[in-house]
Every structure is written in structure tokens, then in C-alpha cells.
PDB file of all heavy atoms in Angstrom:
ATOM      1  N   THR A 288       0.830  -1.209   0.000  1.00 94.00           N
ATOM      2  CA  THR A 288       0.000   0.000   0.000  1.00 94.00           C
ATOM      3  C   THR A 288       0.859   1.251   0.000  1.00 94.00           C
ATOM      4  O   THR A 288       1.729   1.424   0.860  1.00 94.00           O
ATOM      5  CB  THR A 288      -0.919   0.019   1.233  1.00 94.00           C
ATOM      6  OG1 THR A 288      -1.677  -1.190   1.277  1.00 94.00           O
ATOM      7  CG2 THR A 288      -1.872   1.204   1.192  1.00 94.00           C
ATOM      8  N   GLU A 289       0.600   2.152  -0.958  1.00 93.00           N
ATOM      9  CA  GLU A 289       1.270   3.449  -1.020  1.00 93.00           C
ATOM     10  C   GLU A 289       0.633   4.405  -0.013  1.00 93.00           C
ATOM     11  O   GLU A 289      -0.491   4.204   0.448  1.00 93.00           O
ATOM     12  CB  GLU A 289       1.154   4.024  -2.434  1.00 93.00           C
ATOM     13  CG  GLU A 289       1.813   3.195  -3.516  1.00 93.00           C
ATOM     14  CD  GLU A 289       3.332   3.299  -3.496  1.00 93.00           C
ATOM     15  OE1 GLU A 289       3.841   4.225  -2.825  1.00 93.00           O
ATOM     16  OE2 GLU A 289       3.993   2.472  -4.143  1.00 93.00           O
ATOM     17  N   ALA A 290       1.348   5.486   0.283  1.00 94.00           N
ATOM     18  CA  ALA A 290       0.908   6.435   1.293  1.00 94.00           C
ATOM     19  C   ALA A 290      -0.441   7.066   0.942  1.00 94.00           C
ATOM     20  O   ALA A 290      -1.310   7.225   1.811  1.00 94.00           O
ATOM     21  CB  ALA A 290       1.964   7.521   1.480  1.00 94.00           C
ATOM     22  N   LYS A 291      -0.659   7.417  -0.333  1.00 94.00           N
ATOM     23  CA  LYS A 291      -1.909   8.085  -0.717  1.00 94.00           C
ATOM     24  C   LYS A 291      -3.115   7.173  -0.528  1.00 94.00           C
ATOM     25  O   LYS A 291      -4.194   7.615  -0.124  1.00 94.00           O
ATOM     26  CB  LYS A 291      -1.837   8.581  -2.154  1.00 94.00           C
ATOM     27  CG  LYS A 291      -1.626   7.513  -3.197  1.00 94.00           C
ATOM     28  CD  LYS A 291      -1.550   8.124  -4.603  1.00 94.00           C
ATOM     29  CE  LYS A 291      -1.321   7.063  -5.666  1.00 94.00           C
ATOM     30  NZ  LYS A 291      -2.404   6.081  -5.740  1.00 94.00           N
ATOM     31  N   ASP A 292      -2.934   5.881  -0.822  1.00 95.00           N
ATOM     32  CA  ASP A 292      -4.038   4.938  -0.634  1.00 95.00           C
ATOM     33  C   ASP A 292      -4.301   4.714   0.854  1.00 95.00           C
ATOM     34  O   ASP A 292      -5.463   4.611   1.288  1.00 95.00           O
ATOM     35  CB  ASP A 292      -3.701   3.607  -1.304  1.00 95.00           C
ATOM     36  CG  ASP A 292      -3.553   3.758  -2.810  1.00 95.00           C
ATOM     37  OD1 ASP A 292      -4.369   4.483  -3.414  1.00 95.00           O
ATOM     38  OD2 ASP A 292      -2.625   3.166  -3.387  1.00 95.00           O
ATOM     39  N   ALA A 293      -3.229   4.637   1.642  1.00 95.00           N
ATOM     40  CA  ALA A 293      -3.386   4.467   3.086  1.00 95.00           C
ATOM     41  C   ALA A 293      -4.118   5.662   3.686  1.00 95.00           C
ATOM     42  O   ALA A 293      -4.994   5.510   4.554  1.00 95.00           O
ATOM     43  CB  ALA A 293      -2.024   4.285   3.749  1.00 95.00           C
ATOM     44  N   ALA A 294      -3.772   6.873   3.216  1.00 95.00           N
ATOM     45  CA  ALA A 294      -4.416   8.085   3.733  1.00 95.00           C
ATOM     46  C   ALA A 294      -5.901   8.107   3.387  1.00 95.00           C
ATOM     47  O   ALA A 294      -6.737   8.536   4.204  1.00 95.00           O
ATOM     48  CB  ALA A 294      -3.717   9.313   3.154  1.00 95.00           C
ATOM     49  N   MET A 295      -6.239   7.621   2.194  1.00 96.00           N
ATOM     50  CA  MET A 295      -7.641   7.599   1.779  1.00 96.00           C
ATOM     51  C   MET A 295      -8.446   6.640   2.673  1.00 96.00           C
ATOM     52  O   MET A 295      -9.554   6.975   3.109  1.00 96.00           O
ATOM     53  CB  MET A 295      -7.730   7.151   0.318  1.00 96.00           C
ATOM     54  CG  MET A 295      -9.149   7.102  -0.232  1.00 96.00           C
ATOM     55  SD  MET A 295      -9.205   6.591  -1.960  1.00 96.00           S
ATOM     56  CE  MET A 295      -8.629   4.899  -1.800  1.00 96.00           C
ATOM     57  N   ILE A 296      -7.902   5.490   2.964  1.00 96.00           N
ATOM     58  CA  ILE A 296      -8.599   4.526   3.822  1.00 96.00           C
ATOM     59  C   ILE A 296      -8.685   5.054   5.250  1.00 96.00           C
ATOM     60  O   ILE A 296      -9.713   4.899   5.932  1.00 96.00           O
ATOM     61  CB  ILE A 296      -7.889   3.156   3.767  1.00 96.00           C
ATOM     62  CG1 ILE A 296      -8.007   2.581   2.344  1.00 96.00           C
ATOM     63  CG2 ILE A 296      -8.484   2.185   4.796  1.00 96.00           C
ATOM     64  CD1 ILE A 296      -7.122   1.390   2.084  1.00 96.00           C
ATOM     65  N   ALA A 297      -7.614   5.706   5.714  1.00 96.00           N
ATOM     66  CA  ALA A 297      -7.629   6.286   7.060  1.00 96.00           C
ATOM     67  C   ALA A 297      -8.732   7.324   7.188  1.00 96.00           C
ATOM     68  O   ALA A 297      -9.436   7.391   8.208  1.00 96.00           O
ATOM     69  CB  ALA A 297      -6.273   6.910   7.363  1.00 96.00           C
ATOM     70  N   GLU A 298      -8.898   8.134   6.159  1.00 96.00           N
ATOM     71  CA  GLU A 298      -9.945   9.159   6.178  1.00 96.00           C
ATOM     72  C   GLU A 298     -11.329   8.518   6.191  1.00 96.00           C
ATOM     73  O   GLU A 298     -12.248   9.004   6.865  1.00 96.00           O
ATOM     74  CB  GLU A 298      -9.790  10.087   4.976  1.00 96.00           C
ATOM     75  CG  GLU A 298     -10.866  11.158   4.841  1.00 96.00           C
ATOM     76  CD  GLU A 298     -10.963  12.060   6.070  1.00 96.00           C
ATOM     77  OE1 GLU A 298      -9.939  12.281   6.758  1.00 96.00           O
ATOM     78  OE2 GLU A 298     -12.090  12.543   6.348  1.00 96.00           O
ATOM     79  N   ARG A 299     -11.477   7.410   5.472  1.00 96.00           N
ATOM     80  CA  ARG A 299     -12.765   6.708   5.465  1.00 96.00           C
ATOM     81  C   ARG A 299     -13.091   6.176   6.864  1.00 96.00           C
ATOM     82  O   ARG A 299     -14.230   6.296   7.338  1.00 96.00           O
ATOM     83  CB  ARG A 299     -12.719   5.560   4.461  1.00 96.00           C
ATOM     84  CG  ARG A 299     -14.037   4.808   4.339  1.00 96.00           C
ATOM     85  CD  ARG A 299     -14.011   3.857   3.163  1.00 96.00           C
ATOM     86  NE  ARG A 299     -13.112   2.730   3.387  1.00 96.00           N
ATOM     87  CZ  ARG A 299     -12.536   2.035   2.401  1.00 96.00           C
ATOM     88  NH1 ARG A 299     -12.748   2.369   1.138  1.00 96.00           N
ATOM     89  NH2 ARG A 299     -11.748   1.021   2.679  1.00 96.00           N
ATOM     90  N   VAL A 300     -12.114   5.620   7.529  1.00 96.00           N
ATOM     91  CA  VAL A 300     -12.325   5.106   8.884  1.00 96.00           C
ATOM     92  C   VAL A 300     -12.698   6.255   9.821  1.00 96.00           C
ATOM     93  O   VAL A 300     -13.652   6.163  10.611  1.00 96.00           O
ATOM     94  CB  VAL A 300     -11.063   4.380   9.398  1.00 96.00           C
ATOM     95  CG1 VAL A 300     -11.225   4.020  10.873  1.00 96.00           C
ATOM     96  CG2 VAL A 300     -10.784   3.127   8.574  1.00 96.00           C
ATOM     97  N   ARG A 301     -11.943   7.359   9.726  1.00 96.00           N
ATOM     98  CA  ARG A 301     -12.214   8.504  10.605  1.00 96.00           C
ATOM     99  C   ARG A 301     -13.631   9.019  10.412  1.00 96.00           C
ATOM    100  O   ARG A 301     -14.367   9.272  11.387  1.00 96.00           O
ATOM    101  CB  ARG A 301     -11.206   9.624  10.292  1.00 96.00           C
ATOM    102  CG  ARG A 301     -11.361  10.843  11.222  1.00 96.00           C
ATOM    103  CD  ARG A 301     -10.900  12.121  10.553  1.00 96.00           C
ATOM    104  NE  ARG A 301     -11.723  12.468   9.395  1.00 96.00           N
ATOM    105  CZ  ARG A 301     -12.923  12.998   9.449  1.00 96.00           C
ATOM    106  NH1 ARG A 301     -13.495  13.262  10.627  1.00 96.00           N
ATOM    107  NH2 ARG A 301     -13.599  13.280   8.342  1.00 96.00           N
ATOM    108  N   ALA A 302     -14.048   9.142   9.141  1.00 96.00           N
ATOM    109  CA  ALA A 302     -15.368   9.680   8.839  1.00 96.00           C
ATOM    110  C   ALA A 302     -16.473   8.745   9.349  1.00 96.00           C
ATOM    111  O   ALA A 302     -17.500   9.205   9.882  1.00 96.00           O
ATOM    112  CB  ALA A 302     -15.513   9.906   7.340  1.00 96.00           C
ATOM    113  N   GLN A 303     -16.290   7.446   9.202  1.00 95.00           N
ATOM    114  CA  GLN A 303     -17.311   6.493   9.630  1.00 95.00           C
ATOM    115  C   GLN A 303     -17.447   6.453  11.150  1.00 95.00           C
ATOM    116  O   GLN A 303     -18.537   6.208  11.668  1.00 95.00           O
ATOM    117  CB  GLN A 303     -16.973   5.093   9.095  1.00 95.00           C
ATOM    118  CG  GLN A 303     -17.205   4.939   7.601  1.00 95.00           C
ATOM    119  CD  GLN A 303     -18.656   5.118   7.217  1.00 95.00           C
ATOM    120  OE1 GLN A 303     -19.563   4.644   7.923  1.00 95.00           O
ATOM    121  NE2 GLN A 303     -18.907   5.827   6.128  1.00 95.00           N
ATOM    122  N   VAL A 304     -16.361   6.687  11.847  1.00 96.00           N
ATOM    123  CA  VAL A 304     -16.430   6.718  13.311  1.00 96.00           C
ATOM    124  C   VAL A 304     -17.178   7.967  13.777  1.00 96.00           C
ATOM    125  O   VAL A 304     -18.022   7.915  14.679  1.00 96.00           O
ATOM    126  CB  VAL A 304     -15.013   6.668  13.922  1.00 96.00           C
ATOM    127  CG1 VAL A 304     -15.057   6.936  15.428  1.00 96.00           C
ATOM    128  CG2 VAL A 304     -14.367   5.309  13.649  1.00 96.00           C
ATOM    129  N   ALA A 305     -16.882   9.089  13.165  1.00 95.00           N
ATOM    130  CA  ALA A 305     -17.474  10.360  13.594  1.00 95.00           C
ATOM    131  C   ALA A 305     -18.910  10.543  13.122  1.00 95.00           C
ATOM    132  O   ALA A 305     -19.662  11.342  13.702  1.00 95.00           O
ATOM    133  CB  ALA A 305     -16.623  11.516  13.085  1.00 95.00           C
ATOM    134  N   ALA A 306     -19.321   9.804  12.090  1.00 95.00           N
ATOM    135  CA  ALA A 306     -20.609  10.053  11.448  1.00 95.00           C
ATOM    136  C   ALA A 306     -21.801   9.682  12.314  1.00 95.00           C
ATOM    137  O   ALA A 306     -22.871  10.290  12.213  1.00 95.00           O
ATOM    138  CB  ALA A 306     -20.681   9.293  10.115  1.00 95.00           C
ATOM    139  N   LYS A 307     -21.657   8.703  13.169  1.00 94.00           N
ATOM    140  CA  LYS A 307     -22.809   8.192  13.918  1.00 94.00           C
ATOM    141  C   LYS A 307     -22.424   7.973  15.374  1.00 94.00           C
ATOM    142  O   LYS A 307     -21.394   7.363  15.664  1.00 94.00           O
ATOM    143  CB  LYS A 307     -23.273   6.879  13.285  1.00 94.00           C
ATOM    144  CG  LYS A 307     -24.503   6.280  13.942  1.00 94.00           C
ATOM    145  CD  LYS A 307     -24.883   4.966  13.246  1.00 94.00           C
ATOM    146  CE  LYS A 307     -26.097   4.339  13.923  1.00 94.00           C
ATOM    147  NZ  LYS A 307     -26.460   3.044  13.285  1.00 94.00           N
ATOM    148  N   PRO A 308     -23.238   8.459  16.312  1.00 95.00           N
ATOM    149  CA  PRO A 308     -22.918   8.269  17.732  1.00 95.00           C
ATOM    150  C   PRO A 308     -22.834   6.779  18.105  1.00 95.00           C
ATOM    151  O   PRO A 308     -23.475   5.931  17.483  1.00 95.00           O
ATOM    152  CB  PRO A 308     -24.084   8.952  18.459  1.00 95.00           C
ATOM    153  CG  PRO A 308     -24.643   9.902  17.459  1.00 95.00           C
ATOM    154  CD  PRO A 308     -24.452   9.262  16.120  1.00 95.00           C
ATOM    155  N   PHE A 309     -22.064   6.494  19.122  1.00 96.00           N
ATOM    156  CA  PHE A 309     -21.942   5.142  19.646  1.00 96.00           C
ATOM    157  C   PHE A 309     -23.059   4.916  20.673  1.00 96.00           C
ATOM    158  O   PHE A 309     -23.288   5.760  21.540  1.00 96.00           O
ATOM    159  CB  PHE A 309     -20.585   4.938  20.317  1.00 96.00           C
ATOM    160  CG  PHE A 309     -19.445   4.746  19.354  1.00 96.00           C
ATOM    161  CD1 PHE A 309     -19.340   5.494  18.198  1.00 96.00           C
ATOM    162  CD2 PHE A 309     -18.457   3.819  19.629  1.00 96.00           C
ATOM    163  CE1 PHE A 309     -18.280   5.331  17.313  1.00 96.00           C
ATOM    164  CE2 PHE A 309     -17.390   3.638  18.761  1.00 96.00           C
ATOM    165  CZ  PHE A 309     -17.297   4.400  17.593  1.00 96.00           C
ATOM    166  N   SER A 310     -23.737   3.786  20.581  1.00 94.00           N
ATOM    167  CA  SER A 310     -24.822   3.464  21.511  1.00 94.00           C
ATOM    168  C   SER A 310     -24.342   2.469  22.551  1.00 94.00           C
ATOM    169  O   SER A 310     -23.697   1.471  22.221  1.00 94.00           O
ATOM    170  CB  SER A 310     -26.018   2.875  20.755  1.00 94.00           C
ATOM    171  OG  SER A 310     -26.521   3.807  19.829  1.00 94.00           O
ATOM    172  N   LEU A 311     -24.676   2.745  23.819  1.00 94.00           N
ATOM    173  CA  LEU A 311     -24.343   1.831  24.912  1.00 94.00           C
ATOM    174  C   LEU A 311     -25.553   0.988  25.264  1.00 94.00           C
ATOM    175  O   LEU A 311     -26.695   1.344  24.944  1.00 94.00           O
ATOM    176  CB  LEU A 311     -23.869   2.621  26.134  1.00 94.00           C
ATOM    177  CG  LEU A 311     -22.685   3.570  25.913  1.00 94.00           C
ATOM    178  CD1 LEU A 311     -22.302   4.252  27.224  1.00 94.00           C
ATOM    179  CD2 LEU A 311     -21.490   2.837  25.323  1.00 94.00           C
ATOM    180  N   THR A 312     -25.327  -0.123  25.942  1.00 92.00           N
ATOM    181  CA  THR A 312     -26.427  -1.036  26.271  1.00 92.00           C
ATOM    182  C   THR A 312     -27.441  -0.418  27.225  1.00 92.00           C
ATOM    183  O   THR A 312     -28.588  -0.871  27.302  1.00 92.00           O
ATOM    184  CB  THR A 312     -25.884  -2.347  26.872  1.00 92.00           C
ATOM    185  OG1 THR A 312     -25.055  -2.033  27.990  1.00 92.00           O
ATOM    186  CG2 THR A 312     -25.088  -3.132  25.854  1.00 92.00           C
ATOM    187  N   ASP A 313     -27.019   0.608  27.966  1.00 91.00           N
ATOM    188  CA  ASP A 313     -27.962   1.240  28.897  1.00 91.00           C
ATOM    189  C   ASP A 313     -28.808   2.318  28.218  1.00 91.00           C
ATOM    190  O   ASP A 313     -29.569   3.032  28.876  1.00 91.00           O
ATOM    191  CB  ASP A 313     -27.227   1.820  30.099  1.00 91.00           C
ATOM    192  CG  ASP A 313     -26.260   2.939  29.720  1.00 91.00           C
ATOM    193  OD1 ASP A 313     -26.219   3.331  28.531  1.00 91.00           O
ATOM    194  OD2 ASP A 313     -25.520   3.409  30.615  1.00 91.00           O
TER     195      ASP A 313
END
């Protein structure tokens, strides 16, 4: 994996984490 592709995937992960709140069992 080249740096540009790694950065693109990293951004996708970051966006998916921030996009939706985390729900707890309570």
C-alpha cells in the first residue's frame, strides 16, 4: 500500500467513526 491509498482509507475510517454516535447497552 502506497501512502496516498493508506491516507484515503484512514480518512474513510475517521469519517465512519465520527458520522454516527456510539450506543451503549444502557
Side-chain angles (χ1 to χ4, degrees):
T288 305
E289 298 286 345
K291 61 181 179 62
D292 296 318
M295 181 179 66
I296 295 168
E298 177 58 30
R299 183 170 70 205
V300 172
R301 183 207 64 77
Q303 287 297 320
V304 170
K307 182 180 179 182
F309 283 41
S310 299
L311 304 182
T312 55
D313 63 5

